[in-house]
Amino acid sequence: MEHGAEEKKSLATAEAAREAGGTNPSFLGELFMGRLRTGMIFPWPAQDPGEKAAGDAVLEKLKSFLEEHVDADRIDREKEVPRSVIEGLREMGLFGIKIPREYGGLGLSQINYNRILHLVASHCGSTALLLSVHQSIGVSQPVMMFGTEEQRRRYLPRLAAGAISAFALTEPGVGSDPSHMTTTAVPSEDGSAWLINGRKLWTTNGPIAELLVVTARTNDPEADRPEITAFIVEGKSEGLVTEHRCDFMGLKGIRNGLLSFHNVRVSGEDILTGVGEGLKLALRTLNIGRLSIPAFCGGVMKHALTICRIWGNERRQWGVPVGRHEAVAAKIARIAADAFAVDSLAWLGATFADRGEPDLRLEAAADKLFCTKAMWRALDETLQVRGGRGYETADSLRGRGEAGIPVERMLRDARLYLIGEGTSEILHLFIAREALDPHLKATGITSIGDPVDFKKAFRFYIRWYPGLLRPGCSASRNVSLPPGLRRHLRYVENASRRLARDLFHMMVRHGQGLQRKQMVLARLVDVGVELFAMGAVLSRAGSPQAPSGAEELADLFCRQARRRIGSLRREAYCNDDRRVYDLSRKVLEGEFPWLEENILCTWKGDDGIG
């Protein structure tokens, strides 16, 4: 099949699986259209006192358990979360945090779920991921969202009691493009069941899972568009084998594997939400799953900030603490401001979920995109602040008599968060597609390659575009904020109008070819995400319940975000993207062999993937 036809098939498959937007607007989606909906994030959503007390009780018990029984460096060294730790988590009910009480779970909110993961991730990434995968994308979340009542009663009590679960989606040759999924499910000869055959890669919890959600193709492999179905599969099913346990740069304690399915028999009663609905289920599950990653990031960043604060005061260079040197102080201040933003976005995303917002795709993706990038910057700078001790392992530090501060492990563990549940690059494209959706509807484009309906487009843009040219602060005027923060909210409102104009200008310049201008789209997406983060910190800092110093942190974050936004906008219009792409093609075609001289690379390619 030609490259263009392959691309069209892949895009059509992804488009068919897109969720329809909810009846309520998306806050970030509205920003991309030049509208600041302050009512969606102001006033800051405080947690219900009774609900907070329930979360506090769990956190108090959990913190003691982590301190006394979870040795994160040992888990990293021995590549195993001990059975005693898993049993302790089960006894506290932490495998059923969000599962309703009627099914044996704790029945806690997304906010409390995030608070719990925040605490665990600050101490041990492997243990946090074990819990999160089981509940964020494992069997319990899809069953709660899509399962029948019979499926809920059959599986949720088991899951709440600690039956570990996983989600098997990715394949060795298939990443974010589901149109090439090769795992199949066909009816058995007697029609009483389905037989699954194929392989699934990078299935976290897979080797130890008692239950899995498995996606498989259920129509003819030669069909133009795959029909993907989701099945609940018992982990001990005959024909289900762990071929290989994967070992990673970090998160050494997770059990992640390459799974193979050889005529694995599954009842038709274990299909989730219907034949052919598996891809939509996967995408919606990932949307919810992404809300937990900012909680991880917040916990890790606060741990990093604590390390920087203590070290910045204790370590002396040239007669003063290192934290007093301006170069180090700049890093510490940025980590503090970014940590405040990450914490605010994590809370806001969880609040949207608890409210039952019908459409939080953009917010979940933006939270994950922003928070993982901010966390990575923070850990990189924390390692730099610690110097050689940051690069040294905790075991080595202890071995020579110093405190075993695990910056090196934290950095290794955290790198996955920029990849898992949607890479940063994929999230840029996802958010861009959603941001463009109102424009596609306004121009009459319903599928790839459709011609523009110019009359329809004219009627829309003749009303919409002139409104973006008038500077104003009508939305921000209705919000009560300290004077030092009000100007930042006015900036968000006017910048959202500029963003909407920029997006329109790029559509005019590139037409339907804009979908291939990934660097341009990524910059515009990052502008929108920065504005979203500014809105979150301003709402939180302006709240009567705001913690001490929140206004100062919010002001610094907004100042730095505004500089980043200015740089992104300039690069959207004036860049080297064409030259970058052309040079990349030449590298791929081997036109610079001398750049690869005098090295030893044992990999010659052609490893059979794809």
Side-chain angles (χ1 to χ4, degrees):
M1 187 181 292
E2 294 182 359
H3 174 72
E6 285 275 7
E7 182 182 32
K8 188 172 182 179
K9 176 182 175 182
S10 298
L11 291 172
T13 300
E15 192 69 16
R18 286 182 66 245
E19 302 172 59
T23 54
N24 291 347
S26 156
F27 177 80
L28 184 54
E30 290 290 282
L31 276 183
F32 281 113
M33 291 299 290
R35 297 185 282 261
L36 175 62
R37 303 290 191 186
T38 54
M40 297 184 69
I41 61 171
F42 289 89
W44 183 250
Q47 191 174 18
D48 176 79
E51 182 200 359
K52 183 178 184 303
D56 289 345
V58 175
L59 290 171
E60 183 178 0
K61 186 186 298 185
L62 175 59
K63 188 172 184 179
S64 297
F65 176 79
L66 293 173
E67 288 176 335
E68 297 169 11
H69 301 289
V70 180
D71 184 338
D73 290 317
R74 179 186 172 189
I75 289 172
D76 180 68
R77 183 171 59 250
E78 298 182 358
K79 301 182 180 181
E80 198 80 50
V81 177
R83 184 171 296 277
S84 60
V85 171
I86 294 175
E87 288 302 320
L89 297 171
R90 282 174 173 152
E91 289 174 9
M92 285 185 281
L94 295 183
F95 284 92
I97 298 171
K98 293 191 294 180
I99 293 176
R101 290 182 178 275
E102 63 184 289
Y103 300 111
L106 297 181
L108 297 181
S109 64
Q110 182 75 34
I111 287 178
N112 277 335
Y113 175 69
N114 276 20
R115 293 174 71 201
I116 290 167
L117 291 181
H118 179 285
L119 174 60
V120 180
S122 73
H123 179 63
C124 178
S126 293
T127 303
L129 199 61
L130 168 72
L131 285 173
S132 175
V133 167
H134 165 74
Q135 296 173 86
S136 295
I137 59 173
V139 177
S140 59
Q141 189 67 47
V143 168
M144 286 193 294
M145 292 172 66
F146 302 103
T148 64
E149 182 58 28
E150 196 277 331
Q151 287 172 332
R152 292 191 184 101
R153 295 197 178 279
R154 190 192 322 166
Y155 292 116
L156 291 182
R158 284 178 62 186
L159 294 160
I164 295 173
S165 69
F167 197 133
L169 175 64
T170 302
E171 298 182 1
V174 182
S176 301
D177 181 2
S179 67
H180 292 88
M181 186 174 290
T182 58
T183 298
T184 61
V186 298
S188 60
E189 289 187 6
D190 60 7
S192 63
W194 293 79
L195 302 178
I196 300 178
N197 286 277
R199 303 167 86 206
K200 295 291 184 179
L201 180 62
W202 296 328
T203 308
T204 301
N205 290 350
I208 57 173
E210 292 185 41
L211 293 165
L212 304 94
V213 172
V214 179
T215 54
R217 184 165 184 156
T218 48
N219 66 339
D220 187 340
E222 299 301 319
D224 289 339
R225 186 176 297 167
E227 176 187 83
I228 296 171
T229 303
F231 298 86
I232 303 173
V233 178
E234 292 282 348
K236 294 183 178 179
S237 297
E238 183 178 354
L240 173 52
V241 178
T242 299
E243 289 188 24
H244 175 75
R245 178 183 173 181
C246 301
D247 188 13
F248 299 107
M249 172 184 178
L251 297 167
K252 295 289 189 178
I254 64 173
R255 299 297 295 271
N256 180 296
L258 172 63
L259 308 182
S260 61
F261 299 79
H262 306 279
N263 287 326
V264 174
R265 191 179 183 90
V266 184
S267 168
E269 296 177 355
D270 287 323
I271 291 176
L272 273 167
T273 197
V275 173
E277 298 295 316
L279 189 53
K280 289 184 178 180
L281 174 145
L283 294 177
R284 288 193 63 189
T285 300
L286 287 171
N287 284 336
I288 298 296
R290 286 177 184 135
L291 294 175
S292 63
I293 303 266
F296 279 57
C297 296
V300 171
M301 290 179 73
K302 288 181 182 178
H303 190 174
L305 181 62
T306 302
I307 291 169
C308 288
R309 178 183 58 78
I310 296 172
W311 184 248
N313 284 314
E314 291 184 354
R315 176 66 169 172
R316 300 181 71 84
Q317 286 279 28
W318 299 305
V320 296
V322 294
R324 300 290 180 89
H325 292 287
E326 195 172 79
V328 175
K331 299 180 189 300
I332 294 172
R334 177 166 177 167
I335 293 170
D338 282 356
F340 182 67
V342 165
D343 218 31
S344 301
L345 283 172
W347 188 277
L348 203 56
T351 300
F352 286 153
D354 285 336
R355 287 175 181 168
E357 295 285 353
D359 189 6
L360 47 76
R361 294 167 295 169
L362 280 170
E363 284 72 20
D367 277 9
K368 198 262 185 186
L369 178 63
F370 178 90
C371 295
T372 53
K373 290 166 67 176
M375 172 210 60
W376 184 249
R377 287 195 305 263
L379 286 175
D380 182 55
E381 293 185 340
T382 299
L383 190 150
Q384 194 71 16
V385 169
R386 282 278 290 163
R389 290 170 174 83
Y391 191 67
E392 192 172 359
T393 68
D395 284 341
S396 178
L397 288 165
R398 278 190 290 266
R400 60 183 184 78
E402 292 198 20
I405 300 172
V407 175
E408 175 267 346
R409 171 173 57 80
M410 292 165 65
L411 192 79
R412 285 190 290 109
D413 285 353
R415 188 60 183 84
L416 176 69
Y417 304 148
L418 284 86
I419 300 171
E421 297 190 31
T423 65
S424 297
E425 292 74 20
I426 289 296
L427 292 180
H428 275 126
L429 296 179
F430 170 77
I431 295 172
R433 172 61 186 85
E434 296 302 319
L436 288 170
D437 193 53
H439 295 283
L440 297 179
K441 291 176 179 176
T443 53
I445 298 174
T446 58
S447 62
I448 305 300
D450 281 356
V452 174
D453 184 335
F454 288 101
K455 288 185 178 179
K456 183 175 182 181
F458 178 80
R459 287 195 298 269
F460 174 78
Y461 289 114
I462 197 65
R463 296 192 305 270
W464 175 75
Y465 190 84
L468 300 176
L469 299 174
R470 297 190 298 270
C473 54
S474 57
S476 54
R477 189 165 44 237
N478 299 325
V479 175
S480 176
L481 280 176
L485 300 183
R486 178 175 291 281
R487 64 190 185 90
H488 292 310
L489 189 60
R490 288 197 298 268
Y491 172 86
V492 172
E493 183 169 9
N494 285 313
S496 70
R497 297 185 185 202
R498 287 194 299 271
L499 173 60
R501 295 198 303 269
D502 291 338
L503 192 58
F504 175 74
H505 296 162
M506 293 304 161
M507 289 178 59
V508 172
R509 176 184 292 186
H510 301 292
Q512 293 202 35
L514 181 59
Q515 65 178 338
R516 293 187 177 87
K517 298 294 181 181
Q518 295 178 4
M519 288 184 278
V520 169
L521 288 173
R523 295 181 187 106
L524 297 180
V525 165
D526 282 339
V527 169
V529 171
E530 291 279 0
L531 293 174
F532 179 35
M534 287 179 68
V537 300
L538 291 171
S539 177
R540 185 180 179 193
S543 166
Q545 297 82 32
S548 173
E551 183 176 342
E552 187 175 3
L553 286 167
D555 178 60
L556 178 60
F557 174 80
C558 289
R559 287 171 178 268
Q560 296 183 337
R562 289 170 69 163
R563 291 191 181 92
R564 292 193 293 268
I565 289 169
S567 177
L568 289 164
R569 287 196 69 239
R570 287 190 295 273
E571 291 176 10
Y573 287 94
C574 183
N575 55 65
D576 302 314
D577 293 353
R578 183 70 254 179
R579 290 180 175 85
V580 166
Y581 185 76
D582 289 345
L583 182 62
S584 171
R585 290 290 298 271
K586 291 180 180 179
V587 172
L588 291 171
E589 291 165 6
E591 293 191 23
F592 304 107
W594 50 272
L595 283 175
E596 299 176 22
E597 290 177 354
N598 200 30
I599 65 167
L600 176 62
C601 178
T602 58
W603 181 49
K604 305 303 179 185
D606 192 23
D607 58 5
I609 297 300

